[in-house]
Amino acid sequence: EDQVTQSPEALRLQEGESSSLNCSYTVSGLRGLFWYRQDPGKGPEFLFTLYSAGEEKEKERLKATLTKKESFLHITAPKPEDSATYLCAVQTGTASKLTFGTGTRLQVTL
Amino acid sequence: GAGVSQSPSNKVTEKGKDVELRCDPISGHTALYWYRQSLGQGLEFLIYFQGNSAPDKSGLPSDRFSAERTGGSVSTLTIQRTQQEDSAVYLCASSGSGKYQETQYFGPGTRLLVL
């Protein structure tokens, strides 16, 4: 059974204090690893897809990386508006469904 | 363009009653997914539609849960004889063709509370 574990569960940063969120996975036949952002009371918003080890993608202050065992979401000089829950999900084999981790709740304060 | 929409946004029901949740996918998307998000738990897959057929129903938790899709568009998730443990946010997503590696776009969810 595919397993996705995210850490830490919660993270509090000051504005400008860079950090990384971790998503480790145990799956057979990874086809894609997805990062989403979820604000309270809203549905997940797509951020990135990573397909193979070594791949990196960037968007504004966010950079996602992938190895054979885990993915990191690096947040550089975060702002309060980056506060949200960040979700990691995997897609494996020929299945279309996503298997999600439980997320990291990020709070960025002034 | 318009994203995935869901209705109602909130639903409060009494234990034992039936509820129907609706999802309108992004226009032209042939793949549609239902997920459930409970407090303290990750999103849990329920069912996947490709067109009007459901090749993967493996996540439906019991026979009280059913879903259908008509005209390759709107989908309805029905929960019969609701129980308190059914309280959760029910999220719908759609993607272009359902192929793997394709991005799934989520709606805002329906918050279901069973009293």
Coordinates of all heavy atoms in Angstrom, one line a residue, chain A residues 31 34 36 38 41-44 46 49 51 87 91 93 95-98 100-102, chain B residues 33 35 37 41-43 45 48 56 58 91 98 100-104 106-108 111:
Chain A
R31 N 4.6 7.6 -10.4 CA 4.4 8.3 -11.7 C 4.4 9.8 -11.6 O 4.8 10.5 -12.5 CB 3.0 7.9 -12.3 CG 2.9 6.4 -12.6 CD 3.8 6.1 -13.8 NE 3.6 4.7 -14.2 CZ 4.3 4.2 -15.2 NH1 5.3 4.8 -15.8 NH2 4.1 2.9 -15.6
F34 N 2.8 15.4 -6.4 CA 2.1 16.6 -6.6 C 2.1 17.4 -5.3 O 2.0 16.8 -4.2 CB 0.6 16.4 -6.9 CG 0.4 15.6 -8.2 CD1 0.6 14.3 -8.3 CD2 0.0 16.3 -9.4 CE1 0.4 13.6 -9.5 CE2 -0.2 15.6 -10.6 CZ 0.0 14.3 -10.6
Y36 N 0.2 20.6 -3.4 CA -1.0 21.5 -3.4 C -0.9 22.4 -2.1 O -0.3 22.1 -1.1 CB -2.3 20.7 -3.3 CG -2.7 20.0 -4.5 CD1 -2.2 18.8 -4.8 CD2 -3.6 20.6 -5.4 CE1 -2.6 18.1 -6.0 CE2 -4.0 19.9 -6.5 CZ -3.5 18.7 -6.8 OH -3.9 18.0 -8.0
Q38 N -3.5 24.5 0.5 CA -4.9 24.6 0.9 C -5.1 25.7 1.9 O -4.5 25.6 3.0 CB -5.4 23.2 1.4 CG -6.9 23.2 1.7 CD -7.5 21.8 2.0 OE1 -6.7 21.0 2.5 NE2 -8.7 21.6 1.7
G41 N -11.0 26.4 4.7 CA -12.3 26.5 4.1 C -12.3 26.5 2.6 O -13.4 26.7 1.9
K42 N -11.2 26.2 2.0 CA -11.1 26.1 0.5 C -10.6 24.7 0.0 O -10.0 24.0 0.8 CB -10.3 27.2 0.0 CG -10.8 28.6 0.3 CD -10.1 29.7 -0.5 CE -10.7 31.0 -0.3 NZ -10.0 32.1 -1.0
G43 N -10.7 24.5 -1.3 CA -10.2 23.3 -1.8 C -8.7 23.4 -2.1 O -8.2 24.5 -2.2
P44 N -8.0 22.3 -2.3 CA -6.5 22.4 -2.6 C -6.3 23.1 -3.9 O -7.0 22.9 -4.9 CB -6.1 20.9 -2.7 CG -7.1 20.2 -1.9 CD -8.4 20.9 -2.1
F46 N -3.5 23.7 -6.9 CA -2.3 23.0 -7.5 C -1.1 24.0 -7.5 O -1.2 25.1 -7.8 CB -2.6 22.6 -8.9 CG -1.4 22.1 -9.6 CD1 -0.8 20.8 -9.3 CD2 -0.8 22.8 -10.6 CE1 0.3 20.4 -10.0 CE2 0.3 22.3 -11.3 CZ 0.8 21.1 -11.0
T49 N 4.0 19.6 -10.1 CA 4.1 18.2 -10.3 C 5.6 17.9 -10.6 O 6.2 18.5 -11.4 CB 3.3 17.7 -11.5 OG1 1.9 18.2 -11.4 CG2 3.3 16.2 -11.5
Y51 N 8.1 14.5 -11.7 CA 7.9 13.2 -12.3 C 9.1 12.3 -12.0 O 8.9 11.1 -12.0 CB 7.8 13.4 -13.8 CG 6.6 14.2 -14.2 CD1 6.7 15.5 -14.7 CD2 5.3 13.7 -14.0 CE1 5.6 16.2 -15.1 CE2 4.2 14.4 -14.4 CZ 4.3 15.7 -14.9 OH 3.2 16.4 -15.3
L87 N 0.0 20.4 1.0 CA -0.3 18.9 0.9 C 0.6 18.3 -0.2 O 0.8 18.9 -1.3 CB -1.8 18.7 0.5 CG -2.8 19.3 1.4 CD1 -4.2 19.2 0.8 CD2 -2.8 18.5 2.7
Q91 N 1.0 9.7 -7.2 CA 0.2 8.9 -8.2 C 1.1 7.8 -8.6 O 2.3 8.0 -9.0 CB -0.2 9.8 -9.4 CG -1.4 9.3 -10.2 CD -1.7 10.3 -11.2 OE1 -0.9 10.8 -12.0 NE2 -3.0 10.6 -11.3
G93 N 1.7 3.7 -10.4 CA 1.2 2.7 -11.4 C 0.4 3.3 -12.5 O 0.8 4.3 -13.0
A95 N -2.8 3.9 -11.9 CA -4.0 4.5 -11.2 C -4.0 6.0 -11.5 O -3.0 6.6 -11.6 CB -4.0 4.2 -9.7
S96 N -5.2 6.5 -11.5 CA -5.4 7.9 -11.7 C -5.6 8.7 -10.3 O -5.4 9.9 -10.2 CB -6.6 8.2 -12.5 OG -6.4 7.8 -13.8
K97 N -5.9 7.9 -9.3 CA -6.2 8.6 -8.0 C -4.9 9.1 -7.4 O -3.8 8.6 -7.7 CB -6.9 7.6 -7.0 CG -5.9 6.4 -6.6 CD -6.6 5.5 -5.6 CE -5.6 4.4 -5.2 NZ -6.3 3.4 -4.3
L98 N -5.1 10.1 -6.5 CA -4.0 10.6 -5.7 C -4.0 10.1 -4.3 O -5.1 10.0 -3.7 CB -4.0 12.1 -5.7 CG -3.9 12.9 -7.0 CD1 -4.0 14.4 -6.8 CD2 -2.5 12.6 -7.6
F100 N -2.7 11.1 -0.6 CA -2.3 12.3 0.0 C -1.6 12.0 1.4 O -2.0 11.1 2.1 CB -3.4 13.3 0.3 CG -3.9 14.0 -0.9 CD1 -4.8 13.5 -1.8 CD2 -3.4 15.3 -1.1 CE1 -5.2 14.2 -2.9 CE2 -3.8 16.1 -2.2 CZ -4.7 15.5 -3.1
G101 N -0.7 12.9 1.7 CA -0.2 13.0 3.1 C -1.2 13.8 3.9 O -2.1 14.4 3.3
T102 N -0.9 14.0 5.2 CA -1.8 14.7 6.1 C -1.5 16.2 6.1 O -2.2 17.0 6.7 CB -1.8 14.2 7.5 OG1 -0.4 14.1 7.9 CG2 -2.4 12.8 7.6
Chain B
Y33 N -13.2 13.1 -10.0 CA -12.8 12.4 -8.8 C -13.6 12.9 -7.6 O -13.8 14.1 -7.5 CB -11.3 12.5 -8.5 CG -10.4 12.3 -9.7 CD1 -10.2 13.2 -10.6 CD2 -9.7 11.1 -9.8 CE1 -9.4 13.0 -11.7 CE2 -8.9 10.8 -10.8 CZ -8.7 11.8 -11.8 OH -7.9 11.6 -12.9
Y35 N -13.1 12.9 -3.3 CA -12.3 12.7 -2.2 C -13.0 13.1 -0.9 O -13.9 13.9 -1.0 CB -10.9 13.5 -2.3 CG -10.0 13.1 -3.4 CD1 -10.2 13.6 -4.7 CD2 -9.0 12.2 -3.1 CE1 -9.3 13.2 -5.7 CE2 -8.1 11.8 -4.2 CZ -8.3 12.3 -5.4 OH -7.4 12.0 -6.4
Q37 N -12.2 14.6 3.1 CA -11.2 15.1 4.1 C -11.8 15.2 5.4 O -12.7 16.1 5.7 CB -10.7 16.5 3.6 CG -9.5 17.0 4.3 CD -9.0 18.3 3.7 OE1 -9.7 19.1 3.1 NE2 -7.6 18.4 3.8
Q41 N -7.1 14.2 9.2 CA -6.7 13.1 8.3 C -6.5 13.8 6.9 O -7.0 14.8 6.6 CB -7.8 12.1 8.2 CG -8.0 11.3 9.5 CD -8.9 10.1 9.3 OE1 -9.3 9.8 8.2 NE2 -9.3 9.5 10.4
G42 N -5.7 13.1 6.1 CA -5.5 13.5 4.8 C -6.6 13.3 3.9 O -7.6 12.7 4.3
L43 N -6.6 13.8 2.7 CA -7.6 13.6 1.7 C -7.6 12.1 1.4 O -6.6 11.5 1.1 CB -7.4 14.4 0.4 CG -7.9 15.8 0.4 CD1 -7.0 16.7 1.1 CD2 -8.1 16.2 -1.0
F45 N -9.2 9.2 -1.1 CA -9.9 8.9 -2.4 C -11.2 8.1 -2.2 O -11.2 7.1 -1.4 CB -8.9 8.2 -3.3 CG -9.6 7.6 -4.6 CD1 -9.9 8.4 -5.6 CD2 -9.9 6.2 -4.6 CE1 -10.4 7.9 -6.8 CE2 -10.4 5.7 -5.8 CZ -10.7 6.5 -6.8
Y48 N -13.5 7.4 -8.9 CA -13.0 8.1 -10.1 C -13.9 7.7 -11.3 O -14.2 6.6 -11.5 CB -11.5 7.6 -10.4 CG -11.0 7.6 -11.8 CD1 -11.0 8.8 -12.5 CD2 -10.5 6.5 -12.4 CE1 -10.6 8.9 -13.8 CE2 -10.0 6.5 -13.7 CZ -10.1 7.7 -14.4 OH -9.6 7.8 -15.7
D56 N -12.8 3.0 -11.1 CA -12.1 2.8 -9.8 C -13.1 3.3 -8.7 O -13.3 4.5 -8.6 CB -10.8 3.5 -9.7 CG -10.0 3.2 -8.4 OD1 -10.6 2.5 -7.5 OD2 -8.8 3.6 -8.3
S58 N -12.7 2.0 -5.6 CA -12.1 1.3 -4.5 C -12.2 2.0 -3.1 O -12.0 1.4 -2.1 CB -10.6 0.9 -4.8 OG -9.9 2.1 -5.0
L91 N -14.7 16.6 -1.3 CA -14.1 17.4 -2.4 C -14.2 16.7 -3.7 O -14.0 15.5 -3.8 CB -12.6 17.6 -2.0 CG -12.3 18.6 -0.9 CD1 -11.0 18.3 -0.3 CD2 -12.4 20.0 -1.3
G98 N -7.9 12.1 -17.4 CA -7.7 11.0 -16.4 C -6.5 10.2 -16.6 O -6.2 9.3 -15.8
Y100 N -2.6 9.3 -16.0 CA -1.7 9.6 -14.9 C -0.8 10.7 -15.2 O -0.5 11.0 -16.4 CB -1.0 8.3 -14.4 CG -0.1 7.7 -15.5 CD1 1.1 8.2 -15.8 CD2 -0.5 6.5 -16.1 CE1 2.0 7.6 -16.7 CE2 0.3 5.9 -17.0 CZ 1.5 6.5 -17.4 OH 2.3 5.9 -18.3
Q101 N -0.3 11.4 -14.2 CA 0.6 12.5 -14.3 C -0.2 13.8 -14.7 O 0.4 14.9 -14.8 CB 1.7 12.3 -15.3 CG 2.6 11.2 -14.9 CD 3.8 11.0 -15.9 OE1 3.7 11.5 -17.0 NE2 4.8 10.4 -15.4
E102 N -1.5 13.7 -14.8 CA -2.3 14.9 -15.2 C -2.8 15.6 -14.0 O -3.2 15.0 -13.0 CB -3.5 14.4 -16.0 CG -4.1 15.5 -16.9 CD -5.1 14.8 -17.8 OE1 -6.1 14.2 -17.3 OE2 -4.9 14.9 -19.0
T103 N -2.8 16.9 -14.0 CA -3.1 17.7 -12.8 C -4.6 17.6 -12.5 O -5.5 17.6 -13.5 CB -2.8 19.2 -13.0 OG1 -1.4 19.3 -13.3 CG2 -3.2 20.0 -11.8
Q104 N -5.0 17.4 -11.3 CA -6.3 17.4 -10.8 C -6.6 18.7 -10.2 O -5.9 19.1 -9.3 CB -6.6 16.2 -9.8 CG -6.4 14.8 -10.5 CD -6.6 13.7 -9.5 OE1 -7.3 13.8 -8.5 NE2 -6.1 12.5 -9.9
F106 N -9.2 21.0 -8.0 CA -10.3 20.8 -7.0 C -11.3 21.9 -6.9 O -11.0 23.1 -7.1 CB -9.6 20.6 -5.6 CG -8.9 19.3 -5.4 CD1 -7.6 19.0 -5.9 CD2 -9.6 18.3 -4.7 CE1 -7.0 17.8 -5.7 CE2 -9.0 17.0 -4.6 CZ -7.7 16.8 -5.1
G107 N -12.5 21.5 -6.5 CA -13.5 22.4 -6.1 C -13.4 22.9 -4.7 O -12.5 22.4 -4.0
P108 N -14.3 23.7 -4.2 CA -14.2 24.3 -2.8 C -14.7 23.3 -1.8 O -14.4 23.5 -0.6 CB -15.1 25.5 -2.9 CG -16.1 25.2 -4.0 CD -15.4 24.4 -5.0
R111 N -19.1 20.9 3.0 CA -18.9 20.5 4.4 C -20.2 19.9 4.9 O -21.2 20.5 5.0 CB -18.5 21.8 5.2 CG -17.1 22.2 5.0 CD -16.9 23.7 5.0 NE -15.5 23.9 4.5 CZ -15.3 24.0 3.1 NH1 -16.3 23.9 2.3 NH2 -14.1 24.2 2.7

